[in-house]
Structure formats: C-alpha cells, structure tokens
Amino acid sequence: MTVLTWSDDRVEQLKKLWEGGLSASQIAAELGNVTRNAVIGKVHRLGLSGRAKSPSSAAPRQRKARPAAQQMMRVARPVSRGNTALAHAFETEMEADPIAYDNVVPMSQRLSLLELNEATCHWPIGDPSSSEFFFCGGRALNSLPYCAHHSRIAYQPAGDRRRQPPKPVR
C-alpha cells in the first residue's frame, strides 16, 4: 500500500478543483491515487468553504396548491411498537356489562382478597388500608385477571393513553 502525502502542488490543485465545483469523486479521479474520502477529509481540514449552490437548487421549490375539494383526511393508524407476538388480543363482549360504571359494584359481587379465584375480576376498589376496600368480583375474561369493563381500563393501547388529557384532581 502506497501512502501519499499531500504535497503543496496537490493541495493547490485540490483547492482549484474544489472551487471549480467538481465533486469529491471527480477531484479524486483527477488527482489520482487518492480516494473520495481522502479528498473530503483534506477539504475539511483545510477549512475550504462549501461551494455556492446553483440558483435552481438554492431556491425552495414551490408547492402546488390543492383545490379545497381535494383536501385529504388523515386516518389514524393503530400504533404497534416492538414485538407484537405476545400482545393480548381482547375479545370484546357486546352483552351488557353487569358492572356499573364509576366503581359502583353490587354488594353481592364484591369480594375480599381471600374470596378471589381465576374466574373473578381482581380489580381493586378503594383504599387498601380502609375497612371498605374490596375487589370487583365480576366474571373475568378468559386468561385475564379482570372483567370486560376493567380490562378496557387496564389494557389501553399506548397511543390512546398518550392522547388523553390528564384528569383534573378533585
């Protein structure tokens, strides 16, 4: 492998070719025995200014105006990040949910920790240090610890969680 040094003559020739508008590849071919990257490195070390762009490429391109009738509507796409092989596939039940909303659970459905099993909803309601604390106790979905209503709360897609404004503190 031959190591070439940048002689004064080659540096002057490089400067002339660079200011003449030649590309680094063209300069490398003109000088001979030097690579494009070597030319770029030498130009950088010499601090040569970037060349002026031609008037056609310097001016921003004008965009065509669309008629109002052809405005495009953006459609939200489902967001999936990472490996989705193990992502939960939820079966939504269209039948009426026996659980009332806003944490109103019938007294007969409420369970303590010792009464929970695989078929019951494990959603905690209230303050665990309170004597009024209980678990939902509704019918759990297959392979999930929660009923249909609480599964919708617990397993929201990441995009939906980010778009919702924070709830006001009472």
Side-chain angles (χ1 to χ4, degrees), residues 16-148:
K16 287 178 189 172
L17 294 172
W18 182 257
E19 290 174 10
L22 270 66
S23 70
S25 298
Q26 293 169 329
I27 295 171
E30 185 75 27
L31 292 174
N33 290 333
V34 67
T35 64
R36 172 185 165 273
N37 285 340
V39 170
I40 293 170
K42 189 63 176 177
V43 166
H44 180 71
R45 287 189 300 277
L46 290 172
L48 298 179
S49 65
R51 295 172 289 216
K53 294 182 179 179
S54 64
S56 63
S57 66
R61 194 177 80 193
Q62 296 295 323
R63 292 185 173 218
K64 296 178 185 177
R66 284 190 185 151
Q70 289 184 344
Q71 290 294 330
M72 295 175 72
M73 185 174 80
R74 293 194 182 264
V75 177
R77 295 183 182 172
V79 177
S80 62
R81 291 195 173 120
N83 187 353
T84 59
L86 300 177
H88 289 288
F90 301 107
E91 296 177 13
T92 56
E93 298 176 0
M94 297 311 290
E95 64 188 46
D97 197 358
I99 302 171
Y101 293 91
D102 297 326
N103 290 339
V104 178
V105 179
M107 293 294 285
S108 62
Q109 186 176 302
R110 298 178 182 190
L111 298 176
S112 70
L113 178 64
L114 298 176
E115 297 170 317
L116 291 176
N117 60 40
E118 290 182 6
T120 58
C121 178
H122 289 61
W123 189 265
I125 299 176
D127 181 10
S129 62
S130 166
S131 63
E132 306 214 354
F133 177 75
F134 61 93
F135 293 90
C136 169
R139 186 170 52 91
L141 295 177
N142 289 340
S143 74
L144 291 176
Y146 305 123
C147 62

